[in-house]
Amino acid sequence: FENDLLLTKTSVDRVDGWFATKEWLKVIDSKDIQTGEPIKTSKLKIFKNCNNLIKNLPQVQIDEKNLNDVATELGILKADISYCVNTRKKLNFAAWLNSLRIEEAKKMIQINPEMSPYEVGCKVGHTNLSTFRKTFTQFAGCTLEGWIEQCKK
């Protein structure tokens, strides 16, 4: 248990993680606590468990997904995901996702500085090298080539 939430271990397969997350975030019929009106909500109350959602969402960093894709796949409202990311990380979803991708790219380069920039970009979800370079500079605070050179030393 973490924060009164039952966590289940999945294999290292990214798909298993998606299915586990999707199950907790499945849309269900409920009633508004104050008005008693029928509403759609998730099994997991996102706003009370925002940190857990944000801990589990990085699995999307490798996929070429946007906020709509993630919300559709998880069966939750994109506004709920957006709210969590905005309030907890102070970034919009796209910027937060890019920051995760760049952090992962930095780690990959540290481990293997001989890997080509294009290969690193593809592995973290950036298939356009020009966009990857620009995004890397924006979030890492240095150029991609500068980081690579620094890691080779």
Side-chain angles (χ1 to χ4, degrees):
F1 281 89
E2 182 177 313
N3 297 325
D4 298 322
L5 177 66
L6 176 63
L7 301 178
T8 56
K9 185 173 182 165
T10 61
S11 73
V12 294
D13 184 1
R14 188 169 73 222
V15 174
D16 286 342
W18 268 107
F19 285 129
T21 303
K22 183 177 180 178
E23 189 59 35
W24 276 103
L25 299 175
K26 207 177 262 184
V27 176
I28 59 171
D29 292 317
S30 187
K31 289 186 179 182
D32 186 281
I33 296 171
Q34 295 175 339
T35 66
E37 294 289 316
I39 61 169
K40 299 272 186 199
T41 188
S42 64
K43 289 180 183 179
L44 177 66
K45 300 303 176 211
I46 292 175
F47 301 112
K48 292 180 181 173
N49 295 294
C50 225
N51 285 330
N52 290 324
L53 177 65
I54 287 178
K55 284 180 197 173
N56 292 317
L57 276 179
Q59 62 199 355
V60 303
Q61 71 184 335
I62 300 165
D63 301 326
E64 293 182 25
K65 296 191 186 302
N66 61 32
L67 181 56
N68 289 331
D69 298 332
V70 172
T72 299
E73 246 182 75
L74 295 177
I76 60 175
L77 300 172
K78 68 180 185 177
D80 289 345
I81 296 173
S82 183
Y83 176 83
C84 285
V85 173
N86 289 334
T87 57
R88 302 295 180 175
K89 297 299 181 179
K90 308 296 185 222
L91 293 169
N92 67 39
F93 183 82
W96 175 68
L97 191 55
N98 275 325
S99 72
L100 293 174
R101 288 174 170 163
I102 297 309
E103 285 305 310
E104 185 64 25
K106 287 170 63 177
K107 291 175 190 172
M108 285 180 173
I109 294 167
Q110 283 178 322
I111 293 168
N112 184 4
E114 300 303 322
M115 189 182 297
S116 78
Y118 179 74
E119 184 180 0
V120 173
C122 286
K123 286 186 179 219
V124 297
H126 281 276
T127 55
N128 181 302
L129 184 55
S130 176
T131 303
F132 176 53
R133 281 190 166 107
K134 180 180 172 186
T135 305
F136 190 95
T137 301
Q138 179 184 358
F139 286 95
C142 66
T143 66
L144 176 59
E145 286 71 17
W147 182 260
I148 292 169
E149 286 306 312
Q150 183 180 336
C151 291
K152 285 181 178 179
K153 294 178 183 178

